Amino acid sequence: MREESDPATSESAASVESVIERYLDGIEAGNSRKNYRSVLIGWEAWLREQTDVTTLNAVTVMHCRRYARRLKELVRDGDLRASTANTYYAYVRAFLGFCVADELLDTNPAKSTRATDELPEDHGDRDRQFWKRKQRNAILTHVDRRAAKARTGGSEREIRRALRDRALVALLALSGVRGGEVFAAPADERRTGLTWNDVDTDANAVRVFGKSREYEYAQLPERASAALVDHRERCDPADASWPVFPTGHGPSRRRAVEAELGARGWSDEEVDERCESAPLSTVIREERVAPPSLTTNGARSVMKRLCADAGVDVRGEYLKPHGARRGLGHELYASGHAELAQSALRHVSIETTHESYSDIRAAETARQVDRVLKRD
């Protein structure tokens, strides 16, 4: 048993971030270190943002339970596979186990059944959604028609919204990006949403903060590029650092104005007076306040609305953002273009692509076996 010490001077009172770095230094395999770093940094950011916990000795079973519940939510929303969610939790549990071995903690809170009971059950890939070609074409056609209709008789606000939504759907459907790479994730301070600085329509590419927590370039097919060009011309961002998909949520936009003008030295009274002097959109543009990006939850709400309007039904649900990526890869792989699927989805190796679409490989193997047996 460790000797009792003053919490203010104990190593267990060290920041979670600093102990993570110590733990990572001891992992010899480069790929393993990279994978652990990505997950643990994300967990530390979630812990700090959602629970205000920054020191190791403040981490409890309930924090681990809440993290497990958050992973379950991501699986339910289609942003994570159940197997991946369980792997993420295992990384956190292993880190906290290291803390016990290093006598920084007495027990591992992540091992408690109260916490692990909240983890999603892994039933394999049976329930993973992917956009089928017919569904993808239906939603793309709908947003195209909606944009054309808005342009002929809609208000300026309706036109901007329709063009934003068309660009959003086209980017998801055709580029292979993840939702967390282009929309803001409140629990991750580094995922603040795609900006116009990240979009290069001339090179048909967008720069995204990838799953590896490094910047990567995703391919941008012509139809998605054209939709983004139309969207940019209409919304006319005051600065290239502004988000590609700004939120339309009024309170969030107001908070952004208050925070930015307050940081510039404006008093609360001056901010209120300015916000009451003109529409918020005018204040944002004239004062050059970058509006907040649409969040991942906000993007799901957009897709729910668009699918309902278009009459696109997916077994009683809607087309989830991450299902677009899976659908694109599925179609490319099934068409015999495994390497193209790997490139479009930015998989590190072709083995990852083969594993992701093992169902297609199995079906093709079955067809070949049938052909051989019929000849016999």
Side-chain angles (χ1 to χ4, degrees), residues 93-109:
R93 182 167 49 201
F95 163 68
L96 293 173
F98 159 83
C99 295
V100 173
D102 245 23
E103 298 189 348
L104 303 177
L105 292 175
D106 288 319
T107 59
N108 185 341

Side-chain angles (χ1 to χ4, degrees), residues 170 174 201-202 204 219-229:
L174 305 171
T201 53
D202 292 332
N204 293 100
Q219 55 91 22
L220 185 66
E222 185 57 37
R223 185 172 182 179
S225 178
L228 282 168
V229 168

